[in-house]
Amino acid sequence: MSRRITYITALINGDPVRVREGLTVLDAARQAGIYIPSICYLENLKSYGGCRLCIVEIKGIKGFPTACTTPLEPGMEVLTKTTELQRLRSEILELILSEHPYTCLVCGDKKECMDFMHTTRKAGTITGCNFCTSNGDCELQDLIDYLDLKDVRYPISYRGIPPEKNNPFYDLDYNLCILCGRCVRICNEERNSNVLAFVQRGNTSIVGTSFNESQAEAGCEFCGACVDVCPTGSIAEKMGKWAGLPDRSTETTCTLCAVGCTMNVNTRGGRIVNVGPKPGGRTNPHQLCVRGKFLPADINHHPSRIATPMIRKNGKWIEVNWEEAIQYTAGKLEQYRGEQFGMICSAQDTLEENYSLQKFSRKVMGSNNIDLHLSYPDKELVKDIHSFNLSSSHTGTRDILKADTLLILGADASVSHPLLENRVRKAFTTGRTVLYANTHSTRTSQFANHEINYAAGEEYYFLYVLLAKLANPDGQFTKQNVAKAGKRSGVTGNELKPFVSALAGSRNLWVIAGDDLLRNASGRDTLRALGNLQFIKDGKANCTITFLGYEGNLYGGALSGAHPDLLPGFDPVTDKKAVRKWNKNWDTELSTGVGLACNEMLGNIKKDGIAALMVAGDIPPQKKLAKLKFLIQMNMFRTDLSEYADVVLPITSFLEHDGHFLTLDGKIKKLRRALAGPGKTKTIPGILSELAAAMSESGFSNSRPGSIWKEIQSFIQIPARDTGNGKHSFQPLTLKSPKETTDYPFRINLQHDHFTYRGNSLTALVPDLQAIVYTNDRIEKAKNG
Amino acid sequence: MAGSIVSIINKYAPRDKSNLIAILQDVQKKKGYITPEAVDKISSHLWISRSRIFGVASFYSQFKFTPPGRNSIKICLGTACHVQGGDFLLSALKSEIGISPNETTEDRRFDLERVACLGCCALAPVIMVNDTIFSNMSVVKLMELTDQYE
């Protein structure tokens, strides 16, 4: 059914150009490597035809059509750079520049000035290139060069608007704005944030918000898309504003949530300039959210980042060299081999890191007490998810737009997984049916055709009623039970009607289920109910279910073995055959006892319980940790947990090492080292390798992520693939009699803090982020009275 | 106050973006200007962002964003009035009542607006206070004029 792509040939500047049918003249020229100047044009956005700089001459067409709005036709003869065009463009550019401080752009000393800056003078506001943050990265500078403009005949009409510095993460100086409209369009069309608009009219028109409120008040999500696309210095990132032009650009993967967006880290001299488009480009097809766009620079270059190993001796912290730190730690660890050792790692670590950590715990320390911090409270749940994933086809979340109906359950994805939610918004604006069910309204509600707010904690009962209305195989759902569940979920039949009819009529359904759904007492039941939904739909239509795990690599972490019951590849530690296999793989003798989960470890700190703990990242500090005999923290910062630690080892961040990461749609994504870690930081596998050597253990000699990845792949398959026996069937759902208690007259609905990295609170580390998180809270409170 | 805005908005179909200008006009008629609360309410009714609504409203000079004064002064700066020294009148008026065009005095006594023509160019320069036109104005006449309004 796929449409055949037809190609057409046209002449651009006399050369034949063969491109796909349906492109504009501008797109075709760019594909052929022919430059046509333009300011308002942005890849992936609708053509705008605003700046008029892309005018061309086309044989047989009167006047000068804009290349960005003219579709290329077979046999067209296009000229892009004639004297007449250049003259017209120069005039247009002059008009554009009449509202931009252009003095430096056309200064006679420009060339020398760029090299030696001999004419630099001090100025309060930006009046020319030397004081502009975008100097060297300004599209007007490129245009001036292309058109060879020597003088502008109009005086500068300086708007005299005070620069706005009250927003977190970026500053605005609308005196530099040339009203190309890119930021307005990307904010509305691509991100659907709808914060920016053109306000006023004529020569007072400007990009702004309603009643001049700040961007944050207008509901800005700080995705930074407008910062990336701005061709001038009007919108400039606070961090890296004066860092100069990047000398290196690295494409890597963001691990701050499970979507795993591709990100471009631009660095100069080993410091992050920004995370944004590749140098020379303006468009950034890999859209990011506030975490990916603004936080990496803040975390990596945070002033309280630690760079030297530290040992606590007689109650005092002493900075030591690595040799001493390793010898001391290894010596201590020798005393705590066996079940008294525990390991807590993070779901935001790479597969390699988690694999090394669990291997170290199992092989060297002889303990199966290993778990991800923030893993599911119910250990069985991750296994259920695994079998669910095995029996479902992995479809990339890019295909969300292929669905005709979307059901979003129990997730505030606009905060937890913004780029996935962005696709939901697009689906809504392009006419798909979006159904949204959560305990409360969120930003996603604005992009839903129908919304249901069910009672907090009663997700399962909501799904129960929904399923009962959709289908009733073998009369499983009795009237009585449905009525009971309906009452608990607080959802009325009228509210359900549009949901049921949309679900029943859907030919291609996509369900997005938030982690809140699974992280409660009836989590496993809820998962079963979702499986049933898929079963009901699957016969007649396509049904995909995507889980929004709280943290990056939650499932990947378990897959690489960071689980108390499971060896890598979901081999149970109680299975003798599996243990034999891993004994052979690692040349060791593994313990076959089920380990303790994160909470169990922390609850079991006592004399014959856990005595030593290794924490990769951070966990909330608690008094009972004082009873530990030995606590090692591997982290980028000293945190409250360090008060209880005996050794703190500085490690690299996700931008400072290679690795692999499993996204929520089951794709493997690569992390590439964008810069070196500060000071003497080491990678986690590097530290483990030295510790193992000091403890005379083998199997850890190669600490490079590449070779660890090879080792993982030689033993297990990541992502796990269907073995063919995990097909769904309708699973009976039970209705537990609710345990109502009068002891607790109210419920508290806990919300996960999505702004963490390796357990470190990003809100605590980055003050600008506090401004956003707390503003949103304030708005939420105001709305709820 | 918010109740009357809601009753205006509810006359129009929700989510139908084409109703925006009609609603804005009704609000302006009722309230005299477009309030931030009204923009909020319209935004959630029509599903248009507040910024976009403000963008549309601020494009048209018929919409005001400050509360109107008890007396509204329109000063003509069309061709004829301009030639006859309308600019001098405007600067005199500015210093007399202490506001610029599209603003309202703090005591709500006057609001000021500049218009392009009032249709009586033969009488230039002209000023319109509420519904009355004052012709062949001068700075002295202007001073006396403002005293008459409370």
Side-chain angles (χ1 to χ4, degrees), chain A residues 259-275:
Chain A
V259 176
C261 301
T262 304
M263 67 202 279
N264 229 0
V265 182
N266 297 323
T267 51
R268 179 188 175 95
R271 272 185 81 85
I272 301 174
V273 174
N274 64 13
V275 178

Side-chain angles (χ1 to χ4, degrees), chain A residues 145-189:
Chain A
D145 289 344
Y146 179 78
L147 296 172
D148 198 23
L149 193 66
K150 292 277 182 262
D151 195 16
V152 179
R153 285 165 295 168
Y154 307 101
I156 303 171
S157 158
Y158 194 76
R159 297 192 187 96
I161 305 166
E164 289 176 36
K165 304 202 169 176
N166 54 349
N167 282 304
F169 296 117
Y170 57 74
D171 290 338
L172 303 167
D173 186 351
Y174 281 126
N175 298 307
L176 308 179
C177 178
I178 51 166
L179 297 168
C180 67
R182 281 184 187 178
C183 54
V184 175
R185 282 153 62 222
I186 202 140
C187 186
N188 290 279
E189 285 175 33

Side-chain angles (χ1 to χ4, degrees), chain A residues 637-658:
Chain A
F637 308 98
R638 261 174 71 186
T639 62
D640 291 344
L641 178 72
S642 317
E643 295 306 309
Y644 300 97
D646 299 283
V647 179
V648 177
L649 304 175
I651 52 171
T652 47
S653 79
F654 70 99
L655 296 181
E656 293 158 358
H657 54 70
D658 293 343

Side-chain angles (χ1 to χ4, degrees), chain A residues 357-377:
Chain A
L357 285 164
Q358 60 90 30
K359 185 177 167 190
F360 184 82
S361 178
R362 296 185 205 276
K363 185 173 149 81
V364 179
M365 300 306 294
S367 164
N368 282 335
N369 300 331
I370 167 143
D371 199 9
L372 298 167
H373 171 51
L374 280 179
S375 60
Y376 293 105

Side-chain angles (χ1 to χ4, degrees), chain A residues 40-41 46-54 66-69 185:
Chain A
C40 70
Y41 169 85
K46 263 187 274 171
S47 291
Y48 189 60
C51 71
R52 319 306 292 177
L53 282 169
C54 69
T66 44
C68 69
T69 56
R185 282 153 62 222

Side-chain angles (χ1 to χ4, degrees), chain B residues 97-145:
Chain B
I97 58 175
I99 51 168
S100 298
N102 300 325
E103 287 177 6
T104 306
T105 55
E106 260 177 37
D107 58 1
R108 295 269 198 112
R109 190 169 158 215
F110 292 111
D111 63 54
L112 179 60
E113 194 186 335
R114 42 179 289 185
V115 292
C117 187
L118 287 167
C120 45
C121 305
L123 308 173
V126 296
I127 278 180
M128 189 165 155
V129 183
N130 299 333
D131 291 328
T132 323
I133 291 211
F134 296 90
S135 52
N136 296 320
M137 286 303 286
S138 66
V139 173
V140 181
K141 274 184 176 173
L142 192 68
M143 303 284 167
E144 291 166 358
L145 185 67

